[in-house]
Amino acid sequence: MGERSAERPYMTENPILIRNVHYMLAYAFRAIKSDGVQQVEGESFTRIHDLFAEILLRGVGSQVKRGLHRDYRMRSEELTTVRGRIDIATTAASRSTLRGRLVCDFDEYVADTPHNRALKSVIILLIRHGDVDRDRRDGLRRLLPYLEEVTHIAPSEIRWSALTYHRANATYRLLLGVCELVVRGLLATQQSGELKLRSWVADEEMSRLYERFLLEYFKHHHPELSPAARKVPWDLDRAASYNAAQLPEMRTDVTLRSGRRTLIIDAKYYTEAQQTGHYGKGTVRSAHLYQMFAYAKNADIEQSGTVGALLLYAQTSGSRSPDLDVTIQGTRLAAQTLDLSSPWELLRHRLDGIADQVRSTAEPAALATA
């Protein structure tokens, strides 16, 4: 991911279609083919809380049918029969044998895992504080008995970075991605111990979701372009370089490659995509353009002009949207918008158009147009 600007990202009140948030989540957490995602597609939502509640309602319901994720947890207990390994030192120290008992250490296969604790915490959060319609609220309540043996923890106690995924719990990716978005993006600051959920996802979390969505979309639909968030090394003059480790890292949001052609895409999510220049003229933000120029120039070590760069802004409520396509010193730069309030089919058409033009043989670094 490229360096973040200090400017304020996209405002919380925005025109994004709630259904598009659903698609973004499905791609971002690699769940686009899951049954739950396809079931939610037919629903209509006017509140973001209802969308999240519906995804959890269907997803957790399906998970209960196939079996909740379980894991082994080490326990130590005084027993009358041997189970697992005898803890000789503790048994002797506690004189358990005098009571006909042994202290044993053993693994227990339980559903009280960090993943299920996060699910239960957010389900209860939506039930108690979410702007969720009655039917969905009742549906969430009906899930709680299946999570009875799972410890209820406060949202602040969830350690998101500790939640790992593998083949056995891959179906939790989307569910816990939604849970994290609820806690990080909707949960307002606690005042006087009272929890409050916002009516829209916080800017920073939507910005992360937008970046992740773009990368996973291209991975899913255009794997032949080797989509990746690649690191761009600095094209240093070795003989005249000192302490190069102090240079900031350049990491792209998305890099697409076709033959010798490369397109670097940076996802931007800002209230105003343009800055105001002289005489009130709207121009592309300087820092963003300089960033992409540096990325493209350093990636094109042969100076062949085969590396292009695209600033892809989320369409905002701002009146001015960039529509730039220029070549500077042999490097092609563009800045455009993706209107997230458009029907999903139009969004797909725009993104597929970018991929098609990367593959195009007409120009070495062709960029999509609005």
Side-chain angles (χ1 to χ4, degrees):
M1 182 170 61
E3 279 191 62
R4 292 186 181 279
S5 168
E7 298 144 354
R8 181 175 175 82
Y10 208 2
M11 301 296 288
T12 54
E13 296 300 328
N14 56 65
I16 296 178
L17 283 181
I18 293 179
R19 181 173 294 185
N20 286 342
V21 176
H22 165 233
Y23 283 114
M24 291 168 68
L25 284 163
Y27 278 102
F29 296 101
R30 305 173 191 172
I32 194 62
K33 291 184 178 180
S34 71
D35 293 337
V37 168
Q38 294 172 4
Q39 291 169 355
V40 175
E41 284 180 6
E43 298 285 335
S44 178
F45 303 95
T46 58
R47 296 172 297 197
I48 195 71
H49 295 192
D50 275 327
L51 170 64
F52 293 157
E54 186 68 23
I55 293 174
L56 291 178
L57 184 58
R58 292 181 181 271
V60 177
S62 297
Q63 193 64 52
V64 166
K65 291 178 182 178
R66 68 170 63 97
L68 291 174
H69 169 249
R70 292 176 178 268
D71 208 348
Y72 288 100
R73 183 176 61 185
M74 177 63 72
R75 288 189 59 184
S76 181
E77 192 173 334
E78 192 177 76
L79 302 172
T80 57
T81 58
V82 176
R83 183 177 179 185
R85 183 179 63 85
I86 300 174
D87 186 340
I88 297 174
T90 304
T91 298
S94 63
R95 299 185 177 183
S96 298
T97 53
L98 298 178
R99 299 186 297 275
R101 294 173 177 271
L102 298 168
V103 176
C104 298
D105 295 332
F106 57 93
D107 287 328
E108 190 174 36
Y109 199 51
V110 296
D112 191 16
T113 66
H115 300 72
N116 289 326
R117 289 178 183 180
L119 283 180
K120 184 172 183 176
S121 175
V122 173
I123 288 173
I124 292 175
L125 182 65
L126 285 172
I127 290 172
R128 294 178 178 175
H129 305 285
D131 187 11
V132 180
D133 70 32
R134 181 185 300 176
D135 289 343
R136 291 191 176 98
R137 193 184 303 273
D138 291 342
L140 291 176
R141 286 197 182 98
R142 287 193 292 271
L143 292 175
L144 293 179
Y146 298 102
L147 299 168
E148 188 173 4
E149 62 179 294
V150 177
T151 303
H152 177 214
I153 62 175
S156 59
E157 295 178 25
I158 302 172
R159 299 293 174 258
W160 302 106
S161 60
L163 300 178
T164 57
Y165 303 94
H166 44 76
R167 183 176 297 180
N169 67 359
T171 52
Y172 275 69
R173 286 185 187 275
L174 175 61
L175 298 178
L176 291 176
V178 169
C179 289
E180 185 173 2
L181 203 57
V182 170
V183 173
R184 294 186 186 275
L186 291 182
L187 187 59
T189 304
Q190 291 182 240
Q191 296 180 345
S192 303
E194 183 178 347
L195 295 176
K196 183 179 180 181
L197 290 177
R198 301 181 182 92
S199 61
W200 197 260
V201 180
D203 308 336
E204 179 117 1
E205 300 310 315
M206 281 301 295
S207 179
R208 288 196 184 100
L209 176 61
Y210 179 56
E211 292 166 1
R212 189 167 179 173
F213 153 67
L214 287 179
L215 177 59
E216 295 299 330
Y217 181 90
F218 286 112
K219 282 184 176 181
H220 184 81
H221 292 288
H222 303 283
E224 73 284 356
L225 297 179
S226 303
R230 301 183 186 279
K231 182 179 178 180
V232 179
W234 289 91
D235 186 16
L236 298 171
D237 293 332
R238 302 293 176 183
S241 299
Y242 175 71
N243 270 356
Q246 295 184 13
L247 288 170
E249 183 179 85
M250 294 187 290
R251 186 171 294 278
T252 67
D253 291 337
V254 185
T255 298
L256 304 177
R257 290 176 175 172
S258 179
R260 295 181 63 244
R261 295 182 297 279
T262 298
L263 176 62
I264 296 173
I265 301 175
D266 202 70
K268 297 296 185 185
Y269 198 90
Y270 285 80
T271 304
E272 290 290 344
Q274 292 187 298
Q275 64 188 10
T276 302
H278 293 296
Y279 310 109
K281 180 182 179 181
T283 63
V284 177
R285 292 190 177 276
S286 303
H288 298 173
L289 200 59
Y290 300 157
Q291 172 194 353
M292 297 308 287
F293 188 64
Y295 281 20
K297 275 298 185 184
N298 282 275
D300 188 12
I301 57 176
E302 297 178 357
Q303 300 182 8
S304 60
T306 58
V307 180
L310 171 63
L311 286 163
L312 191 56
Y313 290 89
Q315 178 69 56
T316 71
S317 55
S319 58
R320 294 175 300 192
S321 298
D323 184 14
L324 175 74
D325 191 347
V326 297
T327 300
I328 302 174
Q329 296 178 13
T331 297
R332 194 166 182 184
L333 302 176
Q336 294 158 17
T337 59
L338 189 66
D339 187 356
L340 299 181
S341 67
S342 298
W344 172 246
E345 292 72 19
L346 292 182
L347 294 185
R348 282 200 60 174
H349 179 72
R350 282 295 314 281
L351 294 176
D352 291 343
I354 292 173
D356 289 342
Q357 293 199 36
V358 173
R359 286 189 292 263
S360 172
T361 57
E363 295 193 44
L367 305 180
T369 57

